[in-house]
Amino acid sequence: MELTLHLNYDSAIPLHQQVYAGIRVAILACRLLPGQRVPSTRSLSRSLNISRTTITQSYEQLLTEGYLEAKHGSGTFVCRQLPDELLHAETIVPNANPTSSSIKLSCYANYLAETPFALQPEPTVEISFRYGRPALKQFPIALWRKLLSQRCQSDFQWLDYALDPQGYYPLRAAIAQYLSRARAVQCQPEQIVITNGTQQALDLILRVLLEPGDAIALEDPGYLSARKVFLSHRAKLLPIPVDQSGLLVEKLAHLATDQVRLVYVTPSHQFPTGATLSLARRLELLSWANQARVLILEDDYDSEYRYGDRPIPALQGLDNSGSVLYIGTFSKVLFPSLRIGYLVLPPQLVPLIAHAKWLSDRQIPTLEQQVLTDFIEEGHLESHIRKMRAHYDRARQILVQALRSHFGEQIEILGEKAGIHVMVRFSLSISDTEILHRAEAVSVGIMPAAPHYLVNGGEGEFILGYGELDETAIAEGIHRLASVLK
Ligand SMILES: Cc1ncc(COP(=O)(O)O)c(C=O)c1O
């Protein structure tokens, strides 16, 4: 790996101290991350053009102070467990607070500066019920590799800029057919814009449709990452409660509709409660949106996974007035780092969203779009979904059974009929923080639902993802939880 250090060869400060300080600062500023390998003394001495003894001296100091750790035979690494006090050592990034800088920031950047943001590494536990991860080990990697290599060799067009800001046309055609078969979505390939997942889809929609101060009605509790995008565009948030049949649509009638631009919903599998929006409420929502001239953002992120009853057709398919913007993603059915999602839009919005997309990132890589097209056209997507549905169904049954048998009356399980997570409500007289501590003490990771609530709530509620756990780990995880919570 390359490590750039600024050394002053004329300084009175000895070089070994400068190297030591440079690496230490890089660690504290998270430019070098825990567990990351640092260059060998030989290669660093070569790239900095100073003696290896000097570098060794600096490394020894960093090893002694616990910033680095050496693994015999495999190299030197940033220590995995940096003590907190090291991470909070004296400020090492000049002007770390962006708002105190002399650089004038945009309104958007001011929001970013005011909002705590850190992609935290997952806590290292043996059994993690973390939300949102599909069973990556089940992914047909050999098949994907084969399709990838065929496309790589076929021609060189994919190396060049794409001319279509909406995305690779054959992929849009394959998605349109899949959506009409599987989700009863009414659409033509011309209405689709391929995006970098749901996250970008939401951002693009807001750029095109929202003025700061406009209001968005949204489910409460709801999907935190969507809420963050809305806030970054300075939307006013109008939380609408949900119950076992999804969004309480009747509450929308009380809103001053001249302010409301959008309603964001996850009707097929409400996040995080798992409720399905009933047909009656779907029709009520469409009728309200049509009358109030409000657009609906339908986030259909994992509806492929339904157990027992039949998949509910998408809201978009019931709409005849062009009020629904449908968002889909391959993050759950395939794998999240693919970063391919899509928007199905009313035709008049397509050129604007495609233009905004091009301005933002030009295009999604063509090669991945081509491979995905082959994957869908050759029938692998649907057979993978069928296989995974059976896999998750088994995992889900083990989880629900274990939760019921260990916690009995002390637990309510919500949203077990769909998706790859459930939400549970514990009736234990233990605070959420204490529940998390106790779970961690037995090396089990669970996620509190409270951060997904906008208005207070969620105490005692947790999200348990089971996508990536095998049956033994699920049973063992719940056994361990019960042993410390009951
Ligand atoms: C409600 C909801 N929508 C969408 C997504 C997927 O987002 P993306 O497509 O950006 O990976 C998730 C992922 O966890 C989700 O929970």
Side-chain angles (χ1 to χ4, degrees), residues 131-132 196-200 223 264 266 269 271 299 301 328-332 336 339-341:
Y131 158 71
N196 185 317
T198 308
Q199 206 59 26
Q200 187 187 42
Y223 182 41
Y264 168 75
T266 48
H269 188 219
F271 185 85
D299 178 353
Y301 63 107
T329 178
F330 290 98
S331 289
K332 299 282 182 277
R339 303 311 307 145
I340 297 187

Side-chain angles (χ1 to χ4, degrees), residues 9 51 65 126 128 142 145 170 190 203 249 251 288 315 330 378 465 478 484:
Y9 295 86
S51 85
E65 290 180 13
E126 284 164 13
S128 172
R145 196 185 307 122
E190 288 69 21
D203 191 50
V249 177
K251 302 270 181 203
W288 175 83
L315 193 60
F330 290 98
E378 292 177 16
I478 301 306
V484 288

Side-chain angles (χ1 to χ4, degrees), residues 160-175:
D160 201 357
Y161 285 125
L163 290 180
D164 192 341
Q166 270 180 257
Y168 185 57
Y169 187 88
L171 176 59
R172 291 192 274 126
I175 291 174

Side-chain angles (χ1 to χ4, degrees), residues 429-430 432-444 480-481 483-486:
S429 313
I430 314 176
D432 282 9
T433 320
E434 181 60 21
I435 290 178
L436 288 171
H437 277 320
R438 292 194 195 176
E440 221 176 306
V442 288
S443 212
V444 172
R480 288 191 197 179
L481 267 187
S483 72
V484 288
L485 294 184
K486 288 187 55 189

Side-chain angles (χ1 to χ4, degrees), residues 20 53 65 113 170 213 226 228 284 333 361 388 404 476:
Y20 156 83
T53 323
E65 290 180 13
K228 288 182 175 170
E284 204 186 332
V333 284
D361 70 356
M388 294 316 296
R404 289 223 169 95
E476 171 63 20

